[in-house]
Amino acid sequence: MASRTDAENRTDPLEELGGRFAATRRLSLDLARTLSDADASAQSMPDASPAKWHLAHTTWFFETFILRDHVAGYRLFDERYPFLFNSYYEAEGPRHARPRRGLLTRPSLDEICIWRAHVDAAVQTALPDLSAAALTLVTLGIHHEQQHQELLLTDLKHLFAQNPLGPAVWEKPIASEVAQFSAMQWIRGAEGIVPIGHVGEGFAFDCEGPRHDVLLTPHALASRPISNGEWQEFIADGGYHTPSLWLSDGWAWVQAENVEAPAYWDGERQFTLSGWQGLDSAAPVTHISFFEADAFATWAGARLPTEQEWEVAAAAFDPGTGQQLDAAGPVQPAAAADDTDLQQMFGSVWEWTGSAYRPYPGFRPAPGAVGEYNGKFMSGQFVLRGGSCATPRGHLRPSYRNFFYPHQRWQFTGVRLAKDF
């Protein structure tokens, strides 16, 4: 049998990009496949968006920045849609208010899916003739949609948690294979002057660079994220009622919101995308705010890691491993297998760091409307690292910087401790 030549074995870059585009767009639809039009249209709070809106906004992104801007003669599917489904791009003009997205009962979920199919076909047709700049935007759009896939799941979880029936998106029960959490270990981190930030030719968001040197002082990271069982100990010891453990803003938040446990907890139960489930003491605690993470660290005699410490440690691990989103189905963090080394650096839960989300030295936002993607949010937010069980696999890198306000906790957010030597 004749062997294939090297040229035959090489994947065509356009074919590969088209395949990733199609797979990403298909996963979004799969995540929403069990939803009714009512499920997909409701909005449970201003921070969240309806599932239907996520499906539409990601379609608007491709139609606007690829088809409208780079395909001669392309006509918008519906000229009313940009006003409805622009998110925060000031350069793209006025838009429907974010807190009122749940009032968009029309267009229907079916109509949004028809629009998606139209845009998908147009992008695939256009791919061979797109400029290098446009192809770069297609890649950006894929990663943008992966972010919205995670948001779709977390927003849907928050919505269903408001329903007294405790409905499930996926009925399959979630069970951990680990009954008890093992003792946490301290793993010594790198010291001295080291580089961080994205390096190489692969995709990265603009906020991940430029690469630059930082100074790391002697420190150690916990071998795994904090578990539900350890968080129960914090609660039992009066953690939510001891003001000395909390930052001033955090204590004010606890008092104002009457917070006494992580989000979605009810005694020994936790609400999941499969409805109410028993609380797995070995699994990583999730849906905690920066304020809670910081208070727990203080209670434990430790601190939160800096994003620089986290990134340098994570560089030794494959970002494609760990518990991440591979397909539509039950989503909930599971326990680490062991504690002999750093565990769960990627996937499971986003890990709060003690680092403010600010630009790296020499940072410049991308030109044009897409330059509003990250840079303008570099105020008042904290960095999270590592991804979660709801992050699509292939989306993460050691340099990836997620960010949220310190009170927010509807995402799959957890905590790994650090300490100084």
Side-chain angles (χ1 to χ4, degrees), residues 358-402:
R358 293 289 296 147
Y360 286 162
F363 168 76
R364 295 290 184 274
V370 294
E372 299 184 51
Y373 200 97
N374 289 306
K376 72 181 190 179
F377 298 111
M378 292 176 171
S379 173
Q381 306 197 59
F382 283 83
V383 173
L384 301 99
R385 293 295 193 122
S388 81
C389 55
T391 306
R393 197 176 303 277
H395 183 63
L396 296 172
R397 299 165 295 284
S399 59
Y400 195 108
R401 308 173 79 196
N402 201 355

Side-chain angles (χ1 to χ4, degrees), residues 69-119:
D69 291 352
H70 292 276
V71 177
Y74 179 81
R75 296 183 62 181
L76 297 180
F77 182 83
D78 191 313
E79 294 185 355
R80 302 170 299 175
Y81 285 4
F83 178 82
L84 298 181
F85 301 122
N86 178 9
S87 54
Y88 49 71
Y89 295 87
E90 299 288 348
E92 287 298 319
R95 57 204 174 277
H96 186 71
R98 177 172 181 169
R100 298 170 64 84
R101 290 172 183 168
L103 300 179
L104 298 175
T105 58
R106 305 289 180 89
S108 69
L109 178 58
D110 286 344
E111 289 173 305
I112 295 300
C113 290
I114 292 171
W115 179 32
R116 284 180 66 91
H118 172 86
V119 168

Side-chain angles (χ1 to χ4, degrees), residues 17 20 24 58 61-62 136-150 202-205 208 373 392-397 400:
L17 181 61
R20 288 195 291 119
T24 301
T58 50
F61 189 97
F62 283 112
T136 297
L137 288 171
V138 173
T139 300
L140 174 62
I142 290 170
H143 285 266
H144 167 258
E145 182 143 352
Q146 289 177 320
Q147 289 181 316
H148 277 273
Q149 289 166 348
E150 182 162 9
F203 175 84
F205 291 112
E208 298 175 48
Y373 200 97
R393 197 176 303 277
H395 183 63
L396 296 172
R397 299 165 295 284
Y400 195 108

Side-chain angles (χ1 to χ4, degrees), residues 300-338:
R303 61 172 174 82
L304 299 182
T306 67
E307 65 168 323
Q308 294 88 353
E309 292 166 344
W310 191 98
E311 181 174 327
V312 171
F317 296 87
D318 180 357
T321 59
Q323 186 191 9
Q324 299 176 42
L325 183 69
D326 293 303
V331 175
Q332 189 68 10
D338 62 69

